[in-house]
């Protein structure tokens, strides 16, 4: 069989600028293990769509009604032979039907040290603001399996960074983002090697 057919096919779900999606695309560009085969997005005009287009990666634009009331596009993802789902700034809660269709094959990254600073409304600068308001000395990233609650599934990996006294949500966000970019692609690869 042609090598390409044996490759694992990753779908990256993202609704924002897509900087993590880009890092993951780059990481697997010449890999013999996997490729980013699909970008899934719920926001027309999101930055990640431009990235997908310039990389010639197909985009699946999801509609709310079908995502939450249908079978969350599980059929479509299976039809596209997706093996693994990586959430990178996807803000909709993943329905149970999709989790059941991809057991232990959906991961998310969160820009803080869960279980603190997670849950509904804890995204983007809100997270870093809360960390600063609580005068935390450190923050970081959490990569976890996805279950039917926000930011709740089993934690796979965490990395830490310092919170500096003069940090703003923006400066802290930058430090945390650097950790995301350093660790997420490599961690996805590690997980793919074991599925
Ligand atoms: C990241 O901070 C990630 O932790 C969170 O959403 C953000 C996505 O950023 N889940 P980007 O679109 O990859 O730049």
């Amino acid at each position: 069989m042609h090598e390409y057919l044996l490759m694992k096919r990753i779908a990256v779900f993202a609704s924002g600028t897509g900087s993590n999606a880009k890092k993951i695309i780059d990481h697997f560009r010449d890999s013999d293990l996997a490729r980013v085969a699909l970008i899934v997005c719920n926001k027309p005009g999101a930055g990640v769509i431009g990235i997908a287009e310039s990389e010639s990666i197909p985009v699946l634009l999801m509609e709310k009604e079908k995502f939450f009331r249908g079978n969350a596009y599980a059929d479509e993802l299976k039809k596209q032979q997706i093996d693994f789902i990586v959430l990178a700034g996807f803000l909709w809660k993943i329905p149970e039907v999709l989790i059941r269709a991809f057991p232990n094959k959906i991961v998310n990254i969160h820009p803080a040290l869960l279980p603190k600073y997670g849950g509904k409304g804890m995204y983007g600068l809100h997270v870093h603001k809360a960390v600063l308001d609580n005068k935390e000395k450190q923050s970081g990233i959490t990569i976890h399996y996805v279950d039917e609650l926000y930011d709740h599934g089993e934690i796979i990996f965490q990395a830490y960074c310092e919170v500096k006294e003069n940090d703003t949500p923006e400066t802290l966000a930058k430090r945390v983002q650097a950790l995301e970019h350093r660790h997420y692609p490599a961690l996805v690869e590690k997980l793919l090697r074991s599925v």
Side-chain angles (χ1 to χ4, degrees):
M1 201 187 293
H2 192 281
E3 231 179 42
Y4 188 76
L5 297 175
L6 297 172
M7 292 248 183
K8 299 227 161 75
R9 290 169 61 79
I10 303 169
V12 177
F13 285 32
S15 316
T17 55
S19 71
N20 281 282
K22 175 77 168 78
K23 292 286 173 190
I24 293 166
I25 293 166
D26 290 346
H27 183 88
F28 288 102
R29 190 185 311 284
D30 299 318
S31 162
D32 55 9
L33 175 72
R35 285 285 184 278
V36 174
L38 185 68
I39 296 289
V40 176
C41 183
N42 69 316
K43 255 199 196 153
V48 71
I49 295 179
I51 293 173
E53 281 167 2
S54 66
E55 300 281 347
S56 306
I57 297 173
V59 175
L60 171 62
L61 201 54
M62 286 184 163
E63 287 161 24
K64 200 166 191 170
E65 182 69 18
K66 189 164 168 196
F67 189 66
F68 290 107
R69 297 205 195 287
N71 80 338
Y73 291 82
D75 289 352
E76 181 74 30
L77 294 165
K78 292 285 181 190
K79 202 166 85 196
Q80 301 218 23
Q81 295 176 305
I82 296 303
D83 299 295
F84 203 78
I85 296 176
V86 176
L87 308 186
F90 187 72
L91 294 181
W92 285 350
K93 199 155 97 176
I94 303 299
E96 210 182 316
V97 61
L98 195 54
I99 294 164
R100 267 192 269 115
F102 289 89
N104 277 333
K105 288 183 182 137
I106 311 180
V107 294
N108 181 42
I109 189 163
H110 187 75
L113 297 171
L114 293 175
K116 285 171 112 179
Y117 308 109
K120 201 167 164 55
M122 277 292 169
Y123 62 90
L125 292 178
H126 298 293
V127 177
H128 306 301
K129 192 173 176 306
V131 168
L132 291 175
D133 286 349
N134 280 348
K135 307 208 178 317
E136 297 286 0
K137 294 273 178 282
Q138 59 177 11
S139 190
I141 61 168
T142 303
I143 298 169
H144 64 93
Y145 288 111
V146 172
D147 66 10
E148 50 291 321
L149 302 176
Y150 271 122
D151 302 327
H152 182 266
E154 185 195 336
I155 292 175
I156 307 165
F157 175 86
Q158 292 186 306
Y160 302 80
C161 66
E162 183 190 356
V163 175
K164 297 185 177 169
E165 236 162 64
N166 58 352
D167 262 333
T168 61
E170 289 79 6
T171 58
L172 179 56
K174 251 194 161 164
R175 202 171 307 122
V176 170
Q177 190 187 52
L179 282 181
E180 296 188 328
H181 292 172
R182 188 176 325 141
H183 293 289
Y184 207 13
L187 203 278
V188 169
E189 174 172 343
K190 195 170 158 198
L191 294 172
L192 277 172
R193 291 200 183 278
S194 64
V195 290

